[in-house]
């Protein structure tokens, strides 16, 4: 599999994991402008998307680390990181992403 396909597979897998935990979450936070993140020295790939939640409006960036955990960033409209979570497992994605809604 080439790098471009791997990038898309990782991004789709992250989306599928979020949807399997809460099928309405992405729609509830107004998620849009999805982008797959390419591989670099810190990540194996990832997904970034824009949200319009009650508590956070901006971007959510989910990176798959080489240790098979996720690193999640919440980025505001000024492109500043307002919250970062290291070493998240797939079953914790919704719990952490709920920061967008402020629950």
């Amino acid at each position: 599999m080439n790098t471009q396909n791997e990038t898309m597979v990782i991004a789709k897998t992250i989306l599928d994991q979020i949807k399997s935990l809460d099928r309405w979450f992405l729609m509830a936070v107004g998620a849009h402008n999805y982008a797959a993140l390419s591989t670099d020295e810190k990540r194996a790939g990832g997904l970034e998307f824009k949200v319009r939640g009650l508590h956070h409006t901006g971007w959510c960036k989910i990176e798959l680390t080489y240790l098979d955990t996720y690193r999640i960033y919440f980025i505001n409209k000024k492109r500043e990181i307002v919250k970062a979570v290291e070493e998240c497992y797939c079953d914790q994605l919704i719990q952490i992403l709920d920061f967008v809604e402020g629950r």
Side-chain angles (χ1 to χ4, degrees):
M1 194 178 328
N2 66 29
T3 306
Q4 186 177 11
N5 284 344
E6 289 174 5
T7 299
M8 294 305 291
V9 167
I10 290 170
K12 183 169 177 357
T13 300
I14 294 169
L15 271 175
D16 290 344
Q17 289 172 338
I18 292 170
K19 289 175 184 177
S20 73
L21 293 168
D22 184 347
R23 63 189 276 191
W24 303 110
F25 176 79
L26 295 169
M27 187 172 50
V29 297
H32 62 288
N33 290 357
Y34 296 94
L37 301 175
S38 60
T39 302
D40 67 13
E41 66 278 349
K42 290 185 177 182
R43 66 176 181 239
L47 176 70
E48 184 177 46
F49 52 93
K50 201 166 185 182
V51 294
R52 291 183 302 258
L54 296 174
H55 182 71
H56 174 72
T57 298
W59 290 265
C60 291
K61 185 179 198 177
I62 304 170
E63 297 180 339
L64 177 63
T65 68
Y66 289 106
L67 298 174
D68 207 26
T69 60
Y70 291 116
R71 184 180 309 116
I72 302 174
Y73 297 105
F74 297 94
I75 303 165
N76 65 17
K77 291 181 179 182
K78 296 179 183 178
R79 286 297 210 181
E80 301 165 332
I81 296 173
V82 294
K83 183 176 180 176
V85 179
E86 301 278 336
E87 295 186 21
C88 168
Y89 294 97
C90 68
D91 61 340
Q92 299 171 309
L93 281 172
I94 293 298
Q95 178 184 352
I96 294 167
L97 290 172
D98 262 347
F99 171 74
V100 172
E101 285 296 293
R103 292 185 251 178

